[in-house]
Amino acid sequence: QVQLKESGGGSVQAGGSLTLSCSASEFSTNTQYMGWFRQTPGKDREGVAVIWTRTGTTLYSNSVKGRFTVSANSANNTMYLKMINLKPEDTGMYFCAAGFVSGRYDLFQPSDYKFWGQGTQVTVSS
């Protein structure tokens, strides 16, 4: 079981920046793949960024590519999401996830992750 806790959310104006943190209770096989997801009321949770923590390889959704950067630090068991040039459509609850189910292939599929944090709210005003 991996415990995850997000922090760093807040309210910013369009064009602003925020950096989210996801503190994990451990970095292990369960955190080989970690992801950031976001959700707004009435919409499905969507994946925005994924990182292979052992290699640093990253993937991004088209909506955030070039603006968001995901990274991980094994020394303090923390994953980060640096967000720049934020847009109102980036508003939502941001969650980190770990425990990607072995044998699955879609790293942006929320149902294929076993462990989730409670989320941190990001609000971008125009």
Side-chain angles (χ1 to χ4, degrees):
Q1 189 82 7
V2 178
Q3 276 79 50
L4 303 171
K5 182 174 178 59
E6 303 91 341
S7 61
S11 297
V12 296
Q13 290 191 325
S17 303
L18 282 173
T19 298
L20 307 182
S21 299
C22 172
S23 177
S25 58
E26 63 183 63
F27 262 28
S28 64
T29 302
N30 280 322
T31 54
Q32 182 177 3
Y33 303 100
M34 295 184 72
W36 284 101
F37 292 76
R38 66 187 180 192
Q39 189 169 23
T40 53
K43 292 188 177 181
D44 292 336
R45 193 168 295 189
E46 64 166 337
V48 296
V50 173
I51 185 168
W52 280 258
T53 57
R54 293 180 182 177
T55 67
T57 303
T58 56
L59 281 176
Y60 299 94
S61 67
N62 288 335
S63 62
V64 306
K65 197 173 295 183
R67 300 186 298 118
F68 289 14
T69 303
V70 60
S71 62
N73 185 343
S74 59
N76 61 7
N77 295 349
T78 302
M79 177 178 64
Y80 302 94
L81 185 68
K82 181 178 180 180
M83 308 181 292
I84 65 171
N85 191 20
L86 282 161
K87 303 175 181 180
E89 51 263 42
D90 294 317
T91 293
M93 186 70 78
Y94 282 69
F95 300 88
C96 65
F100 187 71
V101 176
S102 178
R104 301 299 177 96
Y105 61 91
D106 185 355
L107 289 166
F108 285 134
Q109 176 57 254
S111 61
D112 288 343
Y113 287 83
K114 294 184 289 186
F115 308 116
W116 292 87
Q118 293 299 307
T120 186
Q121 177 69 33
V122 172
T123 303
V124 185
S125 58
S126 58

